C-alpha cells in the first residue's frame, strides 16, 4: 500500500487566500453565500433551534403524562403538542440534521473539493428549508395540528386546525431535501480529488451518497401524497376519504413508501459518522471497509421494499405481511455488518474516550436496542399485540434519537473544532454525555414495559397502574434535558474564546483534518492528490495537503 501523496498540484486561487471562512464577509454575504461551509453552519443553527422547539413540546408532553387526568393541559392541547413535537423533530430536525448541516460542511473537504457541484443550488436548498420552517411555525401559531406527525386520513382531511399549512410546509421541505441529494450525488461523482477512487473515499461519503439516493427517489412520493391530502381538504377530491370513494389505507401505502426510506435518510448519515469516529478514536485501520461501504448501499436499496411492516394490522393479505416481515429481517443484515465492523475496528485499538467516542459507544448500545426491538416488531405475530403501543414509541426513539441524534452529537463534537476553530470543555462534555445517556434510557426503557403491558401510544389519559412507569419516564426526560442544557452551555462558551483548535486534534487521516481549523474560504491552497486509503493508521502519517496546517 503506497504512502500518502507528497506532491500536490498547484492551484492558484483568487481573493483572500488566508482568511478563514468565519471572518470572510458581512452578515449580508452570509445570507447570500454559496460557500458550503457557511451554508452548513447556517443549517446547523437553524436545525438546533428546531431541535430546541421540538424538545420543548416533548417536555410538555412528558409533564402532562406525569399523572393520570389533566396535569398542565387539556386533551386537545396534548394532541397538538405531541403532533408538533413529532413533525418538528422529523421534518425540520432529524432529516436535515446530518446531511444538510454536517454533510454540507465536511463532504466537499473530505473529497478534496473547493465546494459542492452546484453552489447556487445549495443556497437555494437552504432558503427553501427556511421557507418551509417559516410555514411550519406559522401553522403552529394559527391553530396547530392534532393529527400526529403521520397526518393519517381520513381524520387529517376532516379535522380543524392548520393541517393543510403544516402538510404544505412538509411539501416545501421535501424540495430542499431533493436538491441537496442531487447536489451531493453530483459532487461525489465529479469533484473527488485526483487519486480518490470509490474505495479511497471516507465511509462518511458512502453513507451520505446512499442517503442522497433515497432522498432523490423517495421524497417525491411524499410530496405527491401531501399534495393529494391538501387537494382533498380544499376541493373534496376523493382519493383517501371513503365518503368520497377514496381509500384511507392508500394514504398509508403512499406515506410509508416514503417514510420508511426516510428512517434510513435519518440513520444512514448517523452510521456514517460512527464510521469516521471509531477508527480515528481507536487509531486503527477500519476493519471491513468494502463490506461497510456496500452495506450503506444495500440498506438504501432494501429500505424501499419494507414499508408494509407498518401495516400488519391494516387488513393487507397474510402473504404480503409475510413478505414484508422477511424483508424487514433482511435489512438487519447490512446493519449488523456495520456494527460488527465497528466493534472489530475498536478491538485492541488505542481508544480515546473523548466526547465523540463516548457518543459513538452510546450509539452502539442504543442502536443495538433499537435494532433488536425492530426485529420484534417485524414479526407479525408479535406486532399484532404491540402495534400502536408505547413499545413502538420506545423502539422509534431508540432508533431515531438514541441512534441518529446521538450520532449527530458525536459528529458535532468531532467536527466542532474544525467548524469553529475552538476546543470545547472536555470534562463538561463527558458529564453531559453521561447525563444524556442516563436520561435517555430512563425516559424510554420504561416505555417498552408500558407497551408490553398494553398502554396505547398517543393517549392523553391512562390507568393508574401505569403511573409509576410514566413518572420514571418523565423524570428521565428532565435528566436528558439537563444534559442538553450543559452541552449548550459549554459549546456556546467555546465560541467566546480565542481560536485554539489545532488542525488535527484527533490525529485523523481524512482530508478535512489536513487543513487549518477553521478552513480558509476555498478550503485548500493546493489540490490534494490521494494515493492511500483514508484509514491507514499502520503507516507513518504523510499528509496529502502540504505546507498549510
Amino acid at each position: 500500500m503506497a504512502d500518502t501523496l507528497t506532491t500536490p498540484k498547484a492551484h492558484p486561487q483568487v481573493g483572500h487566500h488566508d482568511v478563514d471562512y468565519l471572518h470572510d464577509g458581512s452578515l449580508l454575504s452570509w445570507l447570500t453565500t454559496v460557500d458550503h461551509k457557511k451554508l452548513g453552519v447556517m443549517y446547523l443553527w437553524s436545525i438546533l433551534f428546531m431541535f430546541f422547539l421540538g424538545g420543548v413540546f416533548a417536555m410538555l408532553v412528558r409533564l402532562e403524562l406525569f399523572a393520570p387526568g389533566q396535569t398542565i393541559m387539556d386533551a386537545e392541547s396534548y394532541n397538538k403538542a405531541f403532533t408538533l413535537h413529532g413533525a418538528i423533530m422529523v421534518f425540520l430536525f432529524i432529516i436535515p440534521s446530518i446531511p444538510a448541516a454536517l454533510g454540507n460542511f465536511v463532504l466537499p473537504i473530505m473529497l478534496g473539493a473547493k465546494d459542492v457541484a452546484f453552489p447556487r443550488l445549495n443556497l437555494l436548498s437552504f432558503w427553501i428549508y427556511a421557507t418551509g420552517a417559516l410555514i411550519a411555525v406559522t401553522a403552529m401559531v394559527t391553530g396547530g395540528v392534532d393529527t400526529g406527525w403521520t397526518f393519517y386520513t381520513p381524520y387529517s382531511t376532516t379535522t380543524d386546525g392548520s393541517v393543510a399549512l403544516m402538510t404544505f410546509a412538509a411539501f416545501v421541505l421535501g424540495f430542499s431535501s431533493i436538491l441537496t441529494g442531487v447536489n451531493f450525488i453530483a459532487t461525489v461523482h465529479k469533484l473527488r480529488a485526483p487519486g480518490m477512487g470509490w474505495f479511497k473515499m471516507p465511509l462518511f461519503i458512502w453513507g451520505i451518497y446512499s442517503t442522497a439516493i433515497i432522498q432523490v427517489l423517495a421524497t417525491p412520493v411524499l410530496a405527491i401524497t401531501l399534495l393529494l391530502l391538501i387537494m382533498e381538504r380544499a376541493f373534496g377530491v376523493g382519493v383517501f376519504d371513503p365518503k368520497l370513494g377514496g381509500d384511507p389505507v392508500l394514504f398509508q401505502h403512499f406515506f410509508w413508501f416514503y417514510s420508511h426510506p426516510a428512517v434510513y435518510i435519518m440513520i444512514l448519515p448517523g452510521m456514517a459518522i460512527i464510521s469516521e469516529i471509531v477508527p480515528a478514536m481507536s487509531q486503527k485501520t477500519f476493519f471491513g471497509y468494502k463490506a461497510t461501504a456496500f452495506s450503506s448501499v444495500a440498506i438504501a436499496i432494501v429500505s424501499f421494499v419494507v414499508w408494509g411492516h407498518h401495516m400488519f394490522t391494516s387488513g393487507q393479505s397474510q402473504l404480503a405481511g409475510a413478505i414484508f416481515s422477511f424483508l424487514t429481517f433482511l435489512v438487519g443484515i447490512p446493519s449488523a455488518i456495520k456494527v460488527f465492523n465497528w466493534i472489530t475496528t475498536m478491538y485492541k485499538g488505542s481508544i480515546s474516550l473523548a466526547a465523540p467516542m463516548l457518543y459513538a459507544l452510546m450509539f452502539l448500545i442504543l442502536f443495538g436496542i433499537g435494532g433488536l426491538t425492530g426485529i420484534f416488531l417485524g414479526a407479525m405475530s408479535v406486532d399484532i399485540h404491540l402495534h400502536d403501543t408505547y413499545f413502538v414509541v420506545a423502539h422509534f426513539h431508540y432508533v431515531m434519537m438514541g441512534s441518529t441524534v446521538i450520532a449527530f452529537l458525536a459528529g458535532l463534537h468531532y467536527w466542532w473544532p474544525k467548524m469553529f476553530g475552538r476546543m470545547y470543555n472536555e470534562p463538561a462534555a463527558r458529564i453531559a454525555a453521561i447525563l444524556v445517556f442516563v436520561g435517555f434510557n430512563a425516559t424510554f426503557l420504561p416505555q417498552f414495559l408500558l407497551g408490553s403491558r398494553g398502554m396505547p401510544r398517543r393517549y392523553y389519559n391512562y390507568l393508574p397502574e401505569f403511573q409509576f412507569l410514566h413518572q420514571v419516564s418523565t423524570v428521565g426526560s428532565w435528566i436528558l434535558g439537563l444534559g442538553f442544557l450543559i452541552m449548550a452551555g459549554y459549546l456556546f462558551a467555546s465560541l467566546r474564546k480565542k481560536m485554539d483548535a489545532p488542525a488535527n486534534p484527533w490525529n485523523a487521516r481524512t482530508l478535512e483534518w489536513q487543513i487549518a481549523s477553521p478552513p480558509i474560504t476555498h478550503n485548500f491552497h493546493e489540490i490534494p492528490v490521494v494515493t492511500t486509503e483514508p484509514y491507514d493508521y499502520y503507516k507513518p502519517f504523510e499528509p496529502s495537503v502540504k505546507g498549510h496546517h
Side-chain angles (χ1 to χ4, degrees):
M1 196 179 296
D3 287 346
T4 314
L5 167 85
T6 57
T7 56
K9 295 180 181 179
H11 185 71
Q13 295 173 347
V14 179
H16 305 287
H17 301 265
D18 296 309
V19 176
D20 67 75
Y21 81 97
L22 286 171
H23 297 97
D24 185 13
S26 62
L27 176 61
L28 179 62
S29 73
W30 271 75
L31 297 177
T32 58
T33 186
V34 292
D35 183 352
H36 69 97
K37 299 181 293 299
K38 291 182 178 180
L39 286 166
V41 170
M42 290 196 293
Y43 265 119
L44 179 64
W45 297 132
S46 301
I47 63 148
L48 287 177
F49 174 73
M50 290 301 165
F51 182 59
F52 168 75
L53 205 58
V56 168
F57 284 117
M59 298 295 280
L60 291 174
V61 167
R62 283 309 330 159
L63 192 56
E64 169 55 39
L65 293 171
F66 191 78
Q70 182 169 338
T71 307
I72 60 167
M73 64 181 96
D74 59 23
E76 184 180 358
S77 300
Y78 170 81
N79 286 344
K80 290 180 179 180
F82 82 71
T83 298
L84 293 174
H85 162 66
I88 291 168
M89 286 300 199
V90 171
F91 296 113
L92 288 162
F93 171 65
I94 295 183
I95 287 178
S97 62
I98 299 174
L102 300 181
N104 242 319
F105 192 97
V106 301
L107 180 139
I109 308 176
M110 280 185 158
L111 292 171
K114 290 199 297 180
D115 212 313
V116 292
F118 307 115
R120 287 182 177 83
L121 193 67
N122 206 16
L123 176 62
L124 178 63
S125 300
F126 172 76
W127 283 113
I128 290 174
Y129 170 83
T131 303
L134 186 62
I135 296 170
V137 172
T138 304
M140 293 177 214
V141 298
T142 57
V145 187
D146 64 352
T147 60
W149 73 273
T150 54
F151 310 116
Y152 271 4
T153 58
Y155 183 68
S156 60
T157 59
T158 56
T159 183
D160 295 329
S162 303
V163 177
L165 203 57
M166 182 61 82
T167 51
F168 183 65
F171 175 81
V172 171
L173 290 165
F175 283 95
S176 175
S177 188
I178 293 168
L179 295 180
T180 299
V182 168
N183 217 340
F184 285 173
I185 291 171
T187 303
V188 171
H189 276 274
K190 293 297 184 182
L191 296 185
R192 300 194 306 273
M196 185 180 284
W198 283 92
F199 296 112
K200 289 181 181 175
M201 292 195 311
L203 287 165
F204 182 77
I205 305 296
W206 277 97
I208 295 294
Y209 179 78
S210 302
T211 304
I213 292 172
I214 303 174
Q215 287 175 295
V216 171
L217 296 179
T219 309
V221 179
L222 177 70
I224 294 167
T225 306
L226 296 177
L227 196 59
L228 289 171
L229 175 59
I230 293 169
M231 290 173 64
E232 187 158 294
R233 281 185 65 91
F235 307 114
V237 178
V239 182
F240 306 122
D241 190 342
K243 292 180 182 177
L244 303 172
D247 182 0
V249 176
L250 183 63
F251 179 87
Q252 292 191 44
H253 278 289
F254 284 170
F255 184 85
W256 289 116
F257 183 82
Y258 162 79
S259 292
H260 201 83
V263 170
Y264 298 102
I265 292 175
M266 303 175 207
I267 192 65
L268 267 174
M271 293 172 163
I273 286 174
I274 304 305
S275 295
E276 291 302 314
I277 291 174
V278 165
M281 294 296 173
S282 303
Q283 292 293 289
K284 266 192 68 184
T285 299
F286 197 94
F287 181 87
Y289 170 92
K290 286 188 177 180
T292 304
F294 284 133
S295 70
S296 294
V297 180
I299 289 172
I301 293 170
V302 178
S303 71
F304 282 97
V305 291
V306 295
W307 79 91
H309 69 217
H310 292 272
M311 303 171 61
F312 286 152
T313 62
S314 68
Q316 68 184 7
S317 71
Q318 291 183 348
L319 176 61
I323 293 171
F324 282 123
S325 181
F326 168 76
L327 292 170
T328 301
F329 296 155
L330 185 65
V331 81
I333 296 174
S335 302
I337 288 171
K338 290 181 181 293
V339 173
F340 291 136
N341 286 347
W342 292 327
I343 293 172
T344 309
T345 300
M346 288 189 286
Y347 179 65
K348 291 189 175 180
S350 179
I351 295 175
S352 164
L353 291 178
M357 190 61 176
L358 286 181
Y359 283 109
L361 294 173
M362 288 159 54
F363 174 94
L364 287 171
I365 297 169
L366 301 177
F367 178 68
I369 296 172
L372 181 63
T373 52
I375 292 175
F376 299 163
L377 294 171
M380 285 188 291
S381 58
V382 179
D383 184 74
I384 295 297
H385 297 281
L386 296 176
H387 192 82
D388 271 344
T389 70
Y390 260 85
F391 193 96
V392 177
V393 177
H395 158 72
F396 184 78
H397 282 83
Y398 266 90
V399 175
M400 290 299 95
M401 185 175 181
S403 304
T404 303
V405 177
I406 293 299
F408 168 75
L409 296 177
L412 185 64
H413 286 79
Y414 182 63
W415 283 304
W416 185 270
K418 183 59 58 182
M419 296 177 80
F420 299 105
R422 296 166 172 91
M423 298 299 294
Y424 47 81
N425 185 306
E426 183 64 35
R430 293 178 183 179
I431 292 170
I434 293 169
L435 286 173
V436 167
F437 183 71
V438 171
F440 177 83
N441 283 291
T443 303
F444 294 106
L445 272 178
Q447 295 182 13
F448 283 123
L449 296 175
L450 283 168
S452 63
R453 294 177 184 180
M455 172 71 202
R457 65 174 172 171
R458 300 181 173 178
Y459 272 38
Y460 169 71
N461 204 354
Y462 55 84
L463 296 174
E465 52 261 39
F466 295 133
Q467 181 172 359
F468 174 71
L469 290 173
H470 270 298
Q471 289 180 336
V472 173
S473 184
T474 299
V475 172
S477 72
W478 299 340
I479 300 171
L480 182 60
L482 177 61
F484 282 124
L485 282 176
I486 294 173
M487 188 185 308
Y490 66 72
L491 288 178
F492 282 116
S494 75
L495 296 177
R496 298 173 62 107
K497 61 181 186 177
K498 292 182 179 179
M499 291 187 179
D500 62 346
N504 190 358
W506 316 121
N507 192 31
R509 298 297 172 89
T510 45
L511 286 177
E512 79 272 25
W513 298 111
Q514 300 181 36
I515 59 175
S517 298
I520 60 171
T521 302
H522 295 292
N523 298 342
F524 299 95
H525 290 279
E526 301 170 311
I527 293 179
V529 182
V530 177
T531 59
T532 190
E533 282 73 13
Y535 310 108
D536 191 3
Y537 286 93
Y538 291 129
K539 295 278 187 179
F541 180 47
E542 293 186 23
S544 296
V545 182
K546 286 290 187 179
H548 304 283
H549 299 288

